[in-house]
Amino acid sequence: MSRVADTVDRPLSPRPRRGRAGWSALLVLALFGSLLLGGGIAAAAAATAPTVPTALTATVTAKGTVTLKWSPPANNGGSTITGYEVSRDGTDANGTYGWSTVVPASARSQTFTLLLPDQWYGFTVTARTAAGTSPAATVYTTVPPPGVPFTGPAANTGSATITWSPPWTTNGATITGYRVARDGYDTDGSGAWSTTVPANIRSFTFTKLGPTSYTATVQAITTAGTGPASKAPVYTGTPQIFMGQVAGYTVTTNRAAGTATITWRVDPTGNHWQTPDGFLVGRDGVDRSSTGVWSTTVGATVRSFTFTQLKAGNTYRLSITPYLLWLTGKPSGPTSLTQTVTVQL
């Protein structure tokens, strides 16, 4: 038998038949390959920027200090958060305007320091991912001082009592005492004065006050610092000191004429000093007309006075006392402000 016949007579292997199941498998494979080329099933919807961070709060935790706290965004946009950018506006105690930093993804708080009291600041937090940055979560707050007590003065003759309540807030600090002070001068000539009282004290009495207005102040002292002064005007009753006192006086005498002329100037003293309303001038002894102790008043602008009818050979004590027309309109004043000079004709 020839080779040709052998070839023709050998049966051929049967071709596989593709049923409905086979075509379905091929279709699935084709579709899966197409998705792979397009970035995969998950990549069919691209990652987006995260949403805004949540639960943002700003709390004053110490003097000039604010602590910011937040929670992650509700939706990270399909990408892992890599960090948070936190920032503030406004100027701090160093004069720096605006500040920001980036903290790790695990961070949930950031503390800002050197903030100025009574200034509003805006604080923001944004979340970062590989796909972008979230919108900013923003909160505003002001940094109050450690606390301001309330004062209310009650004045008596030559003294004034101030009372106060504790600060409305201490921002978490402990009150260790209060600083009480006044301006002006007292009847001893002492100027502005202050002292510190314990934390449980709620009143203080100033003494030796003159017939004028003072400003009393109270400051809360805390472990975070001393708060600003709460101020109140204080007015005293009966006068105890004058606004100006006689100084730099000179005396000239004329024995033949029986006169002595005293000239003076007025130096400032007291709180918010002003020119006295007048002067009481006088002398002791007896003059040529046998008149004994004698005095009179002169106006506020007068700066010299001549005593007459003095006896030659006698010694006289001349006096000048500044006065105020206080309340009753009558000259009054303490003898501590009287200036005297002894002359002999």
Side-chain angles (χ1 to χ4, degrees):
M1 186 178 291
S2 65
R3 284 186 181 277
V4 175
D6 291 341
T7 301
V8 173
D9 292 340
R10 187 181 299 123
L12 297 176
S13 298
R15 178 178 296 178
R17 298 182 62 186
R18 296 185 179 92
R20 182 175 298 178
W23 285 111
S24 298
L26 289 177
L27 181 61
V28 169
L29 288 175
L31 177 61
F32 184 73
S34 175
L35 289 176
L36 288 177
L37 292 176
I41 295 175
T48 60
T51 57
V52 65
T54 59
L56 179 63
T57 62
T59 305
V60 178
T61 53
K63 181 181 181 181
T65 303
V66 167
T67 297
L68 210 60
K69 293 184 178 181
W70 66 89
S71 296
N75 187 343
N76 65 7
S79 185
T80 302
I81 293 176
T82 58
Y84 294 93
E85 181 177 2
V86 291
S87 63
R88 66 153 175 84
D89 59 12
T91 302
D92 63 16
N94 289 333
T96 302
Y97 183 86
W99 184 86
S100 66
T101 188
V102 176
V103 297
S106 59
R108 295 293 180 268
S109 68
Q110 174 66 30
T111 297
F112 297 81
T113 60
L114 298 175
L115 304 180
L116 297 173
D118 299 322
Q119 176 173 319
W120 282 92
Y121 291 89
F123 301 90
T124 62
V125 178
T126 57
R128 290 183 167 189
T129 69
T133 301
S134 75
T138 304
V139 64
Y140 295 89
T141 190
T142 185
V143 182
V148 182
F150 300 98
T151 65
N156 297 306
T157 301
S159 66
T161 299
I162 60 172
T163 60
W164 62 88
S165 301
W168 63 270
T169 178
T170 61
N171 301 321
T174 301
I175 296 176
T176 59
Y178 293 94
R179 180 180 182 272
V180 293
R182 64 151 176 82
D183 60 4
Y185 288 82
D186 63 16
T187 53
D188 289 336
S190 298
W193 182 89
S194 67
T195 190
T196 300
V197 299
N200 63 330
I201 298 299
R202 296 291 181 269
S203 68
F204 186 84
T205 299
F206 297 98
T207 59
K208 298 183 178 181
L209 301 181
T212 186
S213 63
Y214 295 83
T215 298
T217 60
V218 180
Q219 293 172 277
I221 302 172
T222 75
T223 52
T226 300
S230 179
K231 302 179 181 180
V234 173
Y235 301 95
T236 59
T238 304
Q240 306 227 347
I241 192 171
F242 297 106
M243 300 303 98
Q245 74 178 21
V246 173
Y249 52 86
T250 60
V251 176
T252 59
T253 61
N254 186 322
R255 183 175 186 182
T259 62
T261 299
I262 184 168
T263 302
W264 66 88
R265 73 171 190 267
V266 176
D267 283 353
T269 188
N271 182 63
H272 309 305
W273 87 281
Q274 64 184 37
T275 302
D277 292 330
F279 301 91
L280 179 68
V281 293
R283 62 158 176 80
D284 63 3
V286 178
D287 66 8
R288 292 176 180 178
S289 64
S290 300
T291 301
V293 177
W294 178 90
S295 66
T296 189
T297 58
V298 296
T301 60
V302 174
R303 293 294 181 270
S304 69
F305 184 83
T306 300
F307 294 88
T308 60
Q309 297 293 315
L310 303 182
K311 279 186 179 181
N314 281 9
T315 299
Y316 296 90
R317 188 173 66 173
L318 311 180
S319 65
I320 308 171
T321 304
Y323 68 80
L324 291 176
L325 297 174
W326 185 258
L327 297 179
T328 61
K330 297 179 180 180
S332 65
T335 56
S336 61
L337 290 180
T338 299
Q339 298 293 338
T340 62
V341 59
T342 301
V343 298
Q344 185 175 13
L345 289 186

